[in-house]
Structures are given as C-alpha cells and as structure tokens.
Amino acid sequence: MILTAPERRCAISGGTFSLGSIALFVGIAVLVLLSAGIESGGNTSLTDPYLLRILRFTLLQAVLSTLLSIVLAIPVARALARQPRFPGRLWLIRLMAVPMGLPVLIGALGLLGIWGRQGLLNQALSALGLSQPVSIYGLAGILLAHVFFNMPLACRLMLAGLERVPAEYWLVAGGLGMRPISVFRFIEWPILRGLILGIAGLIFMLCATSFTLVLILGGGPAATTLEVAIYQALRFDFDPGRAVMLSLLQIVVTLLVLGAMTLFRAPDDHGLTGGRTLRRIDGQEMAARCVDAALLAGATLFLGMPLASVVVTGLEANLFKLVSQPIFLQAAVTSLAIALAAGLLAVLISFAIIHARSVISADRRKSLGLHGLAIALGASSSLILLVPPIVLATGWFLALRPFGDPSRFAAILIIVINALMALPFVIRVIEPAYTVHVSRTGRLAASLGLHGIARLRMVDWPGLRKPLFTALSFAMALSLGDLGAVALFGSDSLMTLPWLVYSKLGSYRTNDADGYALILGLVCLLLTIAGTAGQGATDDESRRND
C-alpha cells in the first residue's frame, strides 16, 4: 500500500490508539478483579469446595459437550460428503449455519419447545401412557443444547475438509475396490484426525464460557458453570469476593484453553490434484444410501424442529398486542441503539487495526517496535476470548461501585463489551476484502495522486462499502441477541429485547416470551439478510475479475 508519510503515521496512530483502548478497558477490569481478590483472599480461597465443584462441573460439561458434538458430527459429515445428490442437501448445510447465527436465547427456547416439560416429546410420551417425562434441565439439557449449537459447526468444518480430498484418491479407491470401512480408515480418518483437535479446542472454548444456555437450562446449583456462578454471586448473593475468585478461575481456564489451542495447527492440504471431479464410490450401495439418508434426516429433524418450534409458538402469541406494549417499544429502541453503537464501534476499531497492520506489513524495513506492534494488533481481538464478557462486566461493576450505582454506566459498558465481543467476527469479515481491495487499487490510486479524503470518497468507500455493511450487520445481530453483558445490569430502566424475553420466561409468561423471541429472531435474521444482500453477485464479479 502506497501512502504519504502523514497518512502512514495516521494509520499507525489509529491502530495504536485502538489497541491501547482495548488493553486499557480489559486491563482495568482484570486489575480490579485481582485487587479485590487479594483483599478478599481470606474470605474465599481457590480451594473452597464450592469453587472446586463449580470448576469441575464447568470442565465436565465442556468435555462431554465437545465429545458428543465431535462424535455426532463425524457420521453426518461423512453422509453429506458421500451423498452429493441427496435431496435437500444444500438446504441442510444452510440449516447448519442457522444455530451459529441465532441468538442463543432463541435456540434455548426452541429446545424447550421440543424437549421441555411441556414440549413436543413429552406430549408424545404422555400420549403413549408414559408417566416419567423427559427433563431438559440439568447436565443433560446443557449437553443437548451445546450439541445443538456446536455439532453443526463441527460438521461443516469436517465436510469442508472431506471435500478437499483430491479426486485422484477416490479414483484409486475405486480401482482397488475399497470397501466403505477401508475408505474411512485410509482416506477419511487421516483427514478428519487432522481437523478434530482444532475443532474440539474451539468447541471446548465455546462450551467452557457458555452463559445463556447454562443460565436457562442449568437447573440450580448442581449444574452451574463459572460464568453463571459469577452472575449469581453478584446478582443474587451480592458476594463480590466469591465473584472475584470465580472470575479469576474463569480467566485461568480460558488462558489454558487458548494456550492449548495454539498448539493445534490448521491442517495442510495433502497431495496434488488435477482438478478432476469424480463421484465417490463408497456411498452408492443401497445399504449405504439408506444409512446416510437416515443420518441426514435425523440431523434435519434435530436442528429443524427447535427452529420450527420457535416460529410456531411465537405465532401462537398475540404479536400485535405484544408489539404495542410500552415495555416492548422501550426494549426495542434500547436494543437497536445499543446494537448500532456497538456495531459502529466494532467496525471502527476493526478497520483501524486492519489498516495499521496493512501499513506496517507493507514496510519492508520496519523496526523491531513496529514488528511487535503488528503482532499485538493481530492478537488484540483475542483479548475478549481471554476475558469473557461476564468477567469484564464483573470487573467494571466493582470498579464503578465507589462512584455510585454502577447501573448508571450500564449502557456504555454494554456497548463497549458487545463491540469487543464482535471484534473477532468483524475483523474476519473486513480483513480479506480489505487485503484484496488494497492489492487491486493501491498502485493505481497512488499513480493518479489520490490521497486522503479524495481517495476515501472515490476509491476506498465504493470498494469497501459492502464488506463494512456486512460486518456492521453481523456485529449488530450479535449485540441484539446477547444476554451476557446485560445480565448484570438489566433492570426496568435498562430493558433490552433479550432481557425482556428472559424476564418473561422467569415469570412463567412463556407465551409472551415465545412471541418476543420470534420478533427478536426475525430482527436478527433481517439484519443478516441485509448485510449479505448482493454478496453472491459480488463474489461472482470478484471471481470474474480474478
């Protein structure tokens, strides 16, 4: 990228300021927690039986959720890979993307609609005369919910790996007459084995820091994770000492998991291919087709029924009455304002970081300090993974207590925490588009003498407008569906849509909760559609230009 000296200084300064702001916000929360932990060390120790029990359950449910998600994803991914012409295959793959973009709270309500005490399954069992209903609350419900959200993620990543197998492998397998078990042993398993550790680390991280699902399905002290215990310690027991020790434990756990994840390298593509596409030979027998069809139908029902339940139960509510309620209007306005502010902040910080990294990487004679700054900028988005939102909120809750009621600062804190939470996703959306844009327009803009505002108006904004809007819509959808940051500060004076749904659920007004959940889901879906509108055409145009 060719920039003038002032533009280069401005870019590096912007990245440095963004990095410093993130470090300051996270650092203050952590320092306050450490200070409070030292002060209350005599009251609550790390060997406290309660803390150890919470830690054991957090790790246990994360390990079991990871194992179940991986084990169930393998046969489904194989079935999708073996049956490229299965009816509705593309829609099933698209369906697998829905839980990843769906607010966790809505997914939990959908699972309750199927597996809850009054859910479809228990109604069917009661109709058959079975008196012992299935309970979704407790460890079983947490595992079920984690599999619902994470099995599709594992399946899509495994399917992508299997689809990268060179076509010559299938040609050789067909020539040797390999049976399906041999195909799995010699071709598929080596590919999957290289992916599983990385996928498992990612899912374990998501499950170990799970909050909303455990809060709704945890079922009491016997099934509580560290994040939910932090929330309960501050919200219900008002025990800052215990909350601090739990927060420190949470940081240690996430630090260890993140450290372990760095050991798992992304698998490389093995072998060379001539680009020929061949039909797989191991999934054409009738028995294999029946087994694969059963697996794909089961996966479709498992993922689709909770989502359908959200729509059906939501439509049963009196939506017109719900949307005319003053509390809904207050929650909708608050949620949209927070989401817009958090989205804009996330996009601005992400762009500053990406721009600074690009400028530094283009400097072939950069100093050691700039090299270190580039590394720090690259790791900045991981800070929110190291310090989860509920821990950040706890630290700032304690930091602001000397200045009065912390809820006065709740809106600002939620905006910043939601922006940081969206940072890894926003950077992932903007950075590839920015890299391609710079490589295509950098020299031409410099040769035309375009700099500053002129370059921004005539070159950068038209080229980056769509990915920026896509990133903004994703960040807004994430913020709209988040319950973690607002959980500590939510009240009648600060009501968001997720907090409204949770409040209705807690007061056993499930019909209202279902209606509000459907509205929230539709808003998030519309945001996602608006953000990705025209993306396919853009991709096609990019491929033609390439």
Side-chain angles (χ1 to χ4, degrees), residues 243-265:
V244 167
M245 299 312 291
L246 289 165
S247 300
L248 295 177
L249 263 181
Q250 178 73 71
I251 293 174
V252 171
V253 169
T254 50
L255 183 63
L256 291 176
V257 175
L258 281 175
M261 286 177 65
T262 59
L263 302 177
F264 306 142
R265 294 181 55 190

Side-chain angles (χ1 to χ4, degrees), residues 392-404:
L392 275 177
T394 303
W396 277 97
F397 178 88
L398 296 175
L400 294 173
R401 280 180 62 200
F403 303 99

Side-chain angles (χ1 to χ4, degrees), residues 180-444:
I181 186 67
S182 299
V183 170
F184 177 74
R185 179 183 176 187
F186 294 108
I187 299 179
E188 292 176 319
W189 177 243
I191 298 296
L192 295 175
R193 187 178 56 197
L195 297 169
I196 281 176
L197 285 179
I199 297 172
L202 175 62
I203 294 177
F204 183 86
M205 185 71 187
L206 294 172
C207 296
T209 57
S210 177
F211 174 75
T212 304
L213 289 176
V214 181
L215 182 66
I216 294 175
L217 304 174
T224 299
T225 58
L226 286 169
E227 293 217 9
V228 175
I230 294 168
Y231 165 76
Q232 292 170 340
L234 283 179
R235 186 88 187 187
F236 300 122
D237 304 331
F238 198 70
D239 187 345
R242 176 176 290 180
V244 167
M245 299 312 291
L246 289 165
S247 300
L248 295 177
L249 263 181
Q250 178 73 71
I251 293 174
V252 171
V253 169
T254 50
L255 183 63
L256 291 176
V257 175
L258 281 175
M261 286 177 65
T262 59
L263 302 177
F264 306 142
R265 294 181 55 190
D268 300 324
D269 286 335
H270 299 286
L272 298 174
T273 173
R276 288 175 290 175
T277 56
L278 294 178
R279 191 174 60 177
R280 289 185 56 163
I281 46 87
D282 57 325
Q284 306 309 312
E285 297 177 356
M286 183 56 68
R289 289 185 178 184
C290 291
V291 171
D292 289 343
L295 284 169
L296 297 181
T300 304
L301 289 175
F302 178 68
L303 298 175
M305 288 182 67
L307 301 177
S309 172
V310 171
V311 176
V312 172
T313 55
L315 290 175
E316 289 176 352
N318 190 340
L319 294 179
F320 293 105
K321 178 183 175 184
L322 292 179
V323 298
S324 62
Q325 297 289 323
I327 193 169
F328 168 76
L329 298 176
Q330 176 196 348
V333 171
T334 304
S335 288
L336 288 174
I338 288 176
L340 180 61
L344 288 173
L345 184 61
V347 170
L348 283 175
I349 294 176
S350 300
F351 189 83
I353 290 173
I354 294 168
H355 189 41
R357 286 180 62 192
S358 175
V359 170
I360 295 174
S361 63
D363 186 355
R364 296 181 179 179
R365 294 180 295 178
K366 53 180 169 290
S367 63
L368 191 61
L370 286 180
H371 185 70
L373 177 61
I375 294 175
L377 288 170
S380 58
S381 63
S382 300
L383 278 177
I384 193 61
L385 300 177
L386 175 63
V387 188
I390 192 70
V391 177
L392 275 177
T394 303
W396 277 97
F397 178 88
L398 296 175
L400 294 173
R401 280 180 62 200
F403 303 99
D405 185 4
S407 61
R408 290 187 301 158
F409 309 95
I412 297 174
L413 289 177
I414 293 172
I415 289 171
V416 178
I417 291 173
N418 283 354
L420 293 181
M421 186 178 66
L423 214 56
F425 304 97
V426 173
I427 289 178
R428 188 167 295 182
V429 171
I430 296 177
E431 190 160 29
Y434 180 84
T435 303
V436 172
H437 171 76
V438 168
S439 66
R440 287 177 177 171
T441 63
R443 292 185 180 278
L444 178 61

